[in-house]
Structures are given as C-alpha cells and as structure tokens.
Amino acid sequence: PSAAAPASQTVFAIRAQSVFSTVGAAALGLVFLAVNLHFGKKLRRSRERVEETDACLPVYESGETDTPCLFGVAKPSIYVTPDTRTEAETLRYALAHEQTHYRHGHNLWAVLRGVCLALHWYNPLVWWAAELSRRDAELACDEAVLRALGPACKKPYALALLDMAQRQT
C-alpha cells in the first residue's frame, strides 16, 4: 500500500496540472476571442467607408482605433483614424503599411500568436516571443514599404510614423 500511494499522488498531480493548464488555456482563449469580437463590433459600428483609395482591401475611417490597423481574418479591412484620412501623404503611407501587413499574412500570424499564448499562457518565454514576433512584423512592414516607395520617401515616411505615434499618446 505504501508504494501505491506515491504513484497515485503522482497521477493525481499530473491530472491536476493538466486540468489547470487546460482551464487556463480555455479561459485565455475566450478572453482573446471576446476582446477581438468587442473591438470588431466597435469598429463596424463606427466606420465610414473611404472610397478615394486604390487599396486592395476595403478601407474605413473609425474613431475607435488610435492608429491605422488591419483587422479581420475572413474579411480583413483597413481602418484609419480621422486624422490619417484627412492628410493625403499620411493616408498613402498608412495604406501602404497596412496592405503590406495583409500581403505578409500578419493578420493570420496574429491569430497564431494568440493560439500559442492561450496554449502556453503559463510560459513567460512564449509571451516574450509573441511580443518579439509582433515587433518583427512591424519592422518587416516598414522595411517593405520603404523598399517599395524608394529612398526619397524614407524621411517623410518616418515623420508620418512619428506623427501618428505622437497623436496616440
């Protein structure tokens, strides 16, 4: 009987850890889903179509986002702020940036990052890796946009990014 007790305690501990991990993953997955559904609903309720673009995706203006963004997986769209829409050069750069996110599949990578975070919610290295992945996506977009626009646009593009970042604070 004494040899069976440690084995049964080990089995119980493994099952408890498995249940704890599964419940955590499900809870975090539901939180991610709820936050994104809520944000999507806010965007859809506040949006106004921007017709005067040649973007490959639908473009909308919304006051519900602080910066331009690509949102959606099944039907992705680009959302810009009212300030971005009124400044032609800033709008051009923002659309180039968000379309690059789309071409690189970053909206799908964001979902994959969320799945990884939900499944490994207890691992700080996975959280760190997800943040680094997000940053890499932004840097890759900036690099691709600058390559496409040419060296003459380097300074105006950087100034537009700084201006949008300053408005965000």
Side-chain angles (χ1 to χ4, degrees), residues 41-154:
K41 187 176 183 180
K42 284 172 55 175
L43 287 174
R44 283 188 300 281
R45 284 186 173 173
S46 68
R47 71 187 184 184
E48 179 183 320
R49 183 75 187 247
V50 178
E51 298 290 345
E52 62 272 4
T53 73
D54 59 350
C56 64
L57 294 170
V59 178
Y60 298 97
E61 176 188 322
S62 173
E64 293 296 331
T65 181
D66 295 334
T67 60
C69 66
L70 171 67
F71 188 81
V73 176
K75 293 182 180 179
S77 300
I78 296 171
Y79 291 86
V80 297
T81 63
D83 287 342
T84 303
R85 182 179 181 180
T86 59
E87 298 170 13
E89 188 173 72
T90 303
L91 179 63
R92 177 176 161 235
Y93 294 144
L95 293 178
H97 183 92
E98 298 309 325
Q99 289 179 105
T100 302
H101 274 305
Y102 175 70
R103 282 194 305 277
H104 290 186
H106 291 163
N107 53 332
L108 303 174
W109 284 107
V111 172
L112 182 60
R113 276 194 302 273
V115 169
C116 289
L117 287 171
L119 292 175
H120 298 278
W121 58 270
Y122 51 85
N123 188 339
L125 293 177
V126 175
W127 287 86
W128 185 41
E131 176 57 22
L132 293 176
S133 170
R134 188 196 61 75
R135 287 183 195 175
D136 283 349
E138 290 301 327
L139 292 173
C141 263
D142 291 335
E143 184 179 332
V145 168
L146 288 172
R147 198 175 323 112
L149 295 176
C153 290
K154 197 175 212 175

Side-chain angles (χ1 to χ4, degrees), residues 146-165:
L146 288 172
R147 198 175 323 112
L149 295 176
C153 290
K154 197 175 212 175
K155 185 175 179 180
Y157 181 76
L159 291 173
L161 290 179
L162 288 171
D163 185 50
M164 285 186 275

